[in-house]
Amino acid sequence: MDRNHHEQAPPQNGHTDSGHATPERGAHHTTTATTPGAQRRVLVVEDDPTIVEAIAARLRAEGFLVQTAADGPAAVETAAAWHPDLLVLDVMLPGFDGLEVCRRVQAQRPVPVLMLTARDDETDMLVGLGVGADDYMTKPFSMRELVARAHVLLRRIERAAVAATTPRPGSVRLGDLEIDRTQRRVRAAGKDIHLTPTEFDLLMCLARSPRAVLTREQLLAEVWDWADASGTRTVDSHVKALRRKIGAERIRTVHGVGYALETPPGFAGESGPAAGAGEV
């Protein structure tokens, strides 16, 4: 398949005349990247043969090692045996759905997940982010954008690994919200809060300038490493997912502009009416 084909993912249940054999449901297979020395592994989980072949072909052309799985059980089994660096995961799957795949894979080992959904339903997106997905795309989507987001997710993991070996001392504290940059852990009101890598980076970005309003475009550039107006909805969905975990009152919306991390007065650790953030 030519890398210039399928620039936009086809609709589900579409017919393929590409000449490829249609994979059986539930089967998965191993392929190798076309670029010598490529090491990044991507597991593509999708039950539509046309879509999975289009995604896999484009990722191989970009130099990734690719495996595919066509149902939930095969995806979990392949992830456990192959240890992918990234999961491209459809929500609707035979066996059990992509949300359950995400839960089980994340329980095995943390891995960035780019979730695909056929429905433009924000509830589904928030549920996906809640079970450990890092990003999502709604079908039909640009294959170019999928590749860009895959690279961004992998760069984020690399940055986190570097930060772990060269940590900055101390934690950031805003009232009763504490962010440990070394261990990438968060506590709110004395309770540990589990955040995905993307959610942690988003919170850290807001926490660097508490109470200052950051535009969606600024957040896209700093957290996602790309600036595209079409991605502002991704920011909105991640902010909503983050609010569910740390408390809705902690993030203020400035309509038409962006978001700010608030420190309500009266919390322990507040160092003054205009402060509230500090190193501990």
Side-chain angles (χ1 to χ4, degrees), residues 105-186:
V105 170
Q106 297 290 11
Q108 294 171 357
R109 57 184 283 271
V111 58
V113 175
L114 174 57
M115 191 160 279
L116 308 178
T117 175
R119 295 185 297 177
D120 194 10
D121 188 327
E122 190 170 60
T123 300
D124 287 349
M125 297 170 190
L126 290 174
V127 171
L129 297 174
V131 298
D134 293 277
D135 202 355
Y136 68 88
M137 298 184 71
T138 302
K139 300 175 184 175
F141 51 80
S142 161
M143 205 63 71
R144 184 181 295 107
E145 183 175 349
L146 183 144
V147 170
R149 293 200 189 193
H151 281 298
V152 166
L153 287 175
L154 290 170
R155 283 198 300 270
R156 183 177 300 125
I157 298 302
E158 291 169 357
R159 287 200 304 267
V162 171
T165 59
T166 56
R168 294 174 61 187
S171 300
V172 175
R173 177 175 291 168
L174 300 101
D176 67 346
L177 179 68
E178 186 174 350
I179 309 169
D180 187 324
R181 290 174 298 196
T182 303
Q183 300 184 48
R184 293 178 67 86
R185 297 179 63 181
V186 174

Side-chain angles (χ1 to χ4, degrees), residues 29-71:
H29 61 276
T30 304
T31 60
T32 55
T34 57
T35 302
Q39 298 180 359
R40 286 299 183 184
R41 299 181 174 194
V42 182
L43 174 58
V44 181
V45 186
E46 165 66 63
D47 69 324
D48 186 290
T50 305
I51 297 177
V52 75
E53 288 297 333
I55 294 174
R58 183 57 184 264
L59 290 174
R60 293 181 202 125
E62 294 289 330
F64 291 103
L65 294 167
V66 181
Q67 282 199 29
T68 66
D71 61 34

